[in-house]
Amino acid sequence: MYSKFSILFLQVLCLATLIAAVVAYDYHHGPAYSSQHISRHDVGHGYGHDHDYYAHPKYQFDYKVEDHHTGDIKSQHESRDGDVVKGYYALHQPDGNERQVHYHGDGHTGFHADVKYNVHHKHYHH
């Protein structure tokens, strides 16, 4: 049996994949670049008396969208091992700046995020 978290994770992942595919397609100029990778590491145990009934939650995924025509440029990588989640995402904002976020969380220290911005100055010529 899958845990409620596993089912929810797979539903969110399918939705994100569908959204990325729709966003990545530019109807006027052909397809844009989009990729993803998912690795699930189920360490399931048997249903005997000496075994845990639930699988140890462990996964990693990443995705990337690059559509220079619309400016939709983003990527994410996340991994989980037990109650420890680590990840990174970056996106180009509408103002031209790039936001980079490294995050981690666990059951002892909670959620922490380090957010940085790379400011890209626009130059205008008359």
Side-chain angles (χ1 to χ4, degrees):
M1 273 330 252
Y2 292 108
S3 70
K4 288 181 182 179
F5 175 78
S6 295
I7 293 170
L8 179 62
F9 171 74
L10 291 174
Q11 289 173 340
V12 169
L13 191 58
C14 288
L15 180 61
T17 301
L18 178 62
I19 290 170
V22 170
V23 167
Y25 190 81
D26 179 358
Y27 292 99
H28 301 291
H29 296 87
Y33 176 80
S34 176
S35 69
Q36 61 190 7
H37 174 76
I38 304 164
S39 295
R40 209 172 137 176
H41 306 280
D42 285 333
V43 186
H45 300 288
Y47 287 99
H49 297 289
D50 298 326
H51 299 287
D52 188 359
Y53 288 100
Y54 299 103
H56 177 81
K58 186 172 183 178
Y59 67 82
Q60 74 176 26
F61 74 89
D62 57 36
Y63 73 89
K64 183 176 187 177
V65 175
E66 277 189 40
D67 186 344
H68 294 281
H69 177 70
T70 64
D72 187 16
I73 302 171
K74 57 190 164 201
S75 63
Q76 181 177 6
H77 172 81
E78 182 175 293
S79 64
R80 177 177 181 181
D81 190 357
D83 71 343
V84 177
V85 176
K86 297 177 183 176
Y88 166 82
Y89 73 88
L91 63 97
H92 288 250
Q93 301 179 147
D95 63 3
N97 296 322
E98 181 183 16
R99 181 182 347 156
Q100 299 177 348
V101 180
H102 290 268
Y103 60 91
H104 67 275
D106 61 48
H108 301 290
T109 63
F111 179 79
H112 303 278
D114 179 27
V115 182
K116 293 186 175 151
Y117 293 91
N118 290 336
V119 178
H120 299 284
H121 299 285
K122 293 184 180 182
H123 300 281
Y124 297 99
H125 298 283
H126 295 260

